Structure formats: structure tokens, C-alpha cells
């Protein structure tokens, strides 16, 4: 289905759908570029001196804690609910069948390096008969700060076509902060979220008073700039879980300063206190991919 579909669905849904749509592999200890436009940022498991020029290059476009433009920041009364489990099905209508099943879970709160954090999880499994072509069983673990859902640690446990890759990345805005043993230190912009934390963050936004939010998002390999824009209210949406009235949000993904032009991403959040993500869509030149809610509990 292509890399751009994978990146978009992963960021939009936080559901590990990037793995479903051919998640990009990488070597955990290999030097990587994390900041859009920066060419020499190294991700390493050991402490190192601050490079010439100081800390991370660039700053989030908004100085507010939530990256909210045109409105005051804040969670709008929403917080993830411990024990919440959301089941989704991913399908491509042209294929007339389900491609993968996806699950997002909210675990208990934990202490991560002295900070109060949510343990969020996402699981992805391809469905038959597509397992014969691309067998996938992936797990993603996010440890996101309690108040702003900024990512502290992101784990990827990938099992695709029989090849397993396990990576644990500690996100930090300073190269002077070493990662614990068996983890990789990923130097990112302050306030960066991982895909699962980004999904929860978008649920936390008070869209009745906000038209746009921005956030850097680290997908385990690269840092993207993500802009979410309110495009509709009281939208009627029918998915496997039922009929909902929802808020429609358009997702713009910037890769190295350039927006992905050949893909269009939409997120629908149901009205109500839980703000359930009932539908995610990736509209491509050749097809539309849908990730729709099957059950919430």
C-alpha cells in the first residue's frame, strides 16, 4: 500500500497501522536524522557531549503547551480512561474485505524517570487471506506524560513475515541524557508525541473552541510535523460499532518541511465525553483505506 499510507494511518490513528501498511524497518543503533531539515542528529544508546550549536534544532511552531493555534491549550476535560479498549478493523473498499484488525488499550499509569505517565498500547494483526501475503503481528507501547501526552518512551515489537525486531526508545530533547541499558536515546523536539499519544492528544482537544493544533510526532524512525484542522461538526458516521455524530478533523503530515500531497487523512471523533475515534480514512489516488471502530469497552 505504500510508505505514505503507512505513515499517515500510523499518525492519524496511533494504531500501528504503519506496520499493517508495510512498516519501515531500521537498525536501532544506526545514526538517524530526527528533526525536519536537520542532517546530523545522532540517536545513540550512550551519553555524548552536546554537539556544537547547542540543543535540538528548530522549535514547535506554537509556544503553547499543547501546540494549539487560535485557542487556549488544555485537555478540555478529557483524560484517557484506564482499561479502555478500542477494537478496529482496517479495510480497503476496493478489495471488499478486511485487511487487518487493530486494538488500542489504555493501561495503568506508571512512573517513568520520575514523571507520571500513561501506558498506552496498540496491536496490529493482518487478517486472512492477506496473512498469506503479508503476515504481521505487531505491538507498540507508548509511555506518554499524564497531562500533555508528550512521549517519554516508545517501544516497537514487530513480527512481520517471520522477522522479529524489538526496539525501546527513550525520547529526550537533550543528547546529554543517556538511555538506560538496552534502550536507545532518541533526541527529539520538546513536546514530541508518538503516534498513540497523538491519537489520545487529539481526543483531548476541545474542538468546540479550537480550529487547529500542531505537534511534532516521532514514529519510531523519523520526526514529522503534524497539523490537525477542524473541518466539520455534527457529521453523521456509520461504522461497524454503530451510528455516531462526530467531529471531522483533517490531518496534514509534513515530512522534512514538505506536506504529503498525494494522500489525504481524516479522523472522526464521536461527540460525547469519551470522544471515541470512530473512523480514520486515508484517501489515495488509487483507493481509500478505512480504519473503523468495531467495539469500545
Amino acid at each position: 500500500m505504500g510508505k505514505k499510507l503507512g505513515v499517515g494511518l500510523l499518525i492519524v490513528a496511533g494504531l500501528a497501522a504503519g506496520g499493517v501498511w508495510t512498516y519501515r524497518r531500521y537498525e536501532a543503533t544506526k545514526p538517524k536524522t530526527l528533526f525536519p531539515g536537520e542532517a546530523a542528529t545522532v540517536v545513540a544508546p550512550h551519553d555524548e557531549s552536546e554537539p556544537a550549536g547547542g540543543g535540538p534544532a528548530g522549535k514547535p511552531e506554537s509556544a503553547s503547551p499543547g501546540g494549539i493555534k487560535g485557542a487556549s491549550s488544555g485537555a478540555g476535560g478529557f483524560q484517557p480512561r484506564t482499561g479502555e479498549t478500542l477494537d478496529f478493523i482496517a479495510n480497503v473498499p476496493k478489495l471488499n474485505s478486511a485487511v487487518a484488525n487493530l486494538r488500542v488499550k489504555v493501561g495503568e499509569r506508571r512512573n517513568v524517570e520520575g514523571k507520571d505517565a500513561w501506558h498506552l498500547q496498540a496491536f496490529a494483526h493482518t487478517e486472512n487471506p492477506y496473512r498469506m501475503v503479508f503476515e504481521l503481528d505487531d505491538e507498540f507501547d507508548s509511555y506518554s506524560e499524564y497531562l500533555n501526552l508528550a512521549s517519554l518512551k516508545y517501544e516497537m515489537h514487530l513480527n512481520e513475515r517471520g522477522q522479529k525486531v524489538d526496539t525501546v526508545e527513550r525520547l529526550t530533547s537533550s543528547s546529554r541524557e543517556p538511555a538506560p541499558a538496552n534502550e536507545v536515546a532518541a533526541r527529539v523536539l520538546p513536546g514530541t508525541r508518538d503516534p498513540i499519544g497523538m491519537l489520545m492528544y487529539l481526543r483531548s482537544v476541545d474542538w468546540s473552541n479550537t480550529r487547529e493544533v500542531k505537534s511534532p510526532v516521532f514514529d519510531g524512525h523519523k520526526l514529522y510535523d503534524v497539523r490537525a484542522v477542524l473541518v466539520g461538526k455534527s457529521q453523521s458516521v456509520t461504522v461497524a460499532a454503530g451510528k455516531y455524530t462526530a467531529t471531522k478533523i483533517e490531518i496534514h503530515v509534513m515530512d522534512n518541511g514538505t506536506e504529503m500531497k498525494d494522500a489525504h487523512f481524516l479522523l472522526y471523533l464521536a461527540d460525547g465525553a469519551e470522544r471515541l475515534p470512530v473512523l480514520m480514512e486515508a484517501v489515495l489516488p488509487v483507493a481509500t483505506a478505512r480504519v473503523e471502530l468495531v467495539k469500545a469497552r
Side-chain angles (χ1 to χ4, degrees):
M1 289 299 169
K3 180 174 66 176
K4 291 187 177 181
L5 173 56
V7 171
L9 283 180
L10 184 66
I11 291 173
V12 172
L15 299 177
V20 175
W21 312 109
T22 316
Y23 199 91
R24 291 169 303 163
R25 299 190 175 280
Y26 66 101
E27 298 177 35
T29 58
K30 183 179 180 180
K32 305 169 189 174
T33 298
L34 295 185
F35 304 114
E38 186 180 14
T41 297
V42 176
V43 180
H46 305 295
D47 192 10
E48 57 185 15
S49 299
E50 191 76 41
K59 296 179 181 179
E61 292 189 42
S62 171
S64 63
I68 296 177
K69 179 180 180 181
S72 60
S73 62
F78 172 89
Q79 282 290 344
R81 174 174 57 83
T82 300
E84 179 186 65
T85 302
L86 306 176
D87 291 324
F88 298 84
I89 196 73
N91 64 77
V92 178
K94 281 191 174 182
L95 299 178
N96 197 30
S97 64
V99 175
N101 66 79
L102 311 165
R103 173 172 290 176
V104 174
K105 296 178 65 176
V106 179
E108 72 285 0
R109 285 161 62 180
R110 295 189 180 183
N111 184 293
V112 179
E113 293 295 302
K115 296 181 179 180
D116 190 9
W118 289 105
H119 179 203
L120 311 171
Q121 293 180 293
F123 305 87
H125 307 277
T126 42
E127 295 273 2
N128 287 324
Y130 302 101
R131 290 187 69 82
M132 298 175 63
V133 179
F134 192 86
E135 183 180 5
L136 176 150
D137 298 285
D138 287 350
E139 175 183 340
F140 297 76
D141 290 77
S142 164
Y143 296 87
S144 298
E145 287 194 57
Y146 174 69
L147 289 179
N148 63 6
L149 293 162
S151 185
L152 300 172
K153 184 168 68 169
Y154 190 52
E155 300 181 8
M156 299 191 298
H157 307 285
L158 310 181
N159 184 356
E160 301 172 6
R161 291 176 175 172
Q163 299 182 33
K164 296 183 179 181
V165 177
D166 294 290
T167 305
V168 178
E169 296 189 282
R170 182 65 56 92
L171 277 64
T172 174
S173 59
S174 172
S175 63
R176 289 198 177 103
E177 181 180 335
N182 302 319
E183 296 184 6
V184 174
R187 191 163 67 91
V188 297
L189 294 168
T192 293
R193 298 176 174 94
D194 58 54
I196 314 174
M198 185 63 181
L199 173 65
M200 294 298 172
Y201 168 65
L202 291 176
R203 294 173 68 185
S204 79
V205 174
D206 182 2
W207 292 104
S208 64
N209 294 309
T210 306
R211 298 201 61 83
E212 178 180 321
V213 299
K214 298 179 181 180
S215 177
V217 175
F218 178 59
D219 73 346
H221 179 73
K222 288 186 66 176
L223 190 69
Y224 296 90
D225 290 320
V226 175
R227 182 166 64 97
V229 181
L230 173 69
V231 293
K233 295 183 178 180
S234 301
Q235 304 285 305
S236 180
V237 178
T238 300
V239 295
K243 295 183 178 180
Y244 296 87
T245 301
T247 296
K248 183 179 180 180
I249 301 161
E250 187 174 29
I251 309 294
H252 301 268
V253 181
M254 307 292 291
D255 182 3
N256 200 31
T258 302
E259 183 175 358
M260 295 180 177
K261 295 295 185 182
D262 57 350
H264 184 65
F265 305 105
L266 298 171
L267 168 66
Y268 294 81
L269 295 175
D271 295 345
E274 291 186 314
R275 305 175 189 177
L276 293 173
V278 293
L279 177 64
M280 287 72 69
E281 292 183 324
V283 183
L284 305 176
V286 295
T288 297
R290 289 170 57 93
V291 178
E292 60 182 75
L293 184 69
V294 174
K295 182 185 294 184
R297 55 188 187 276

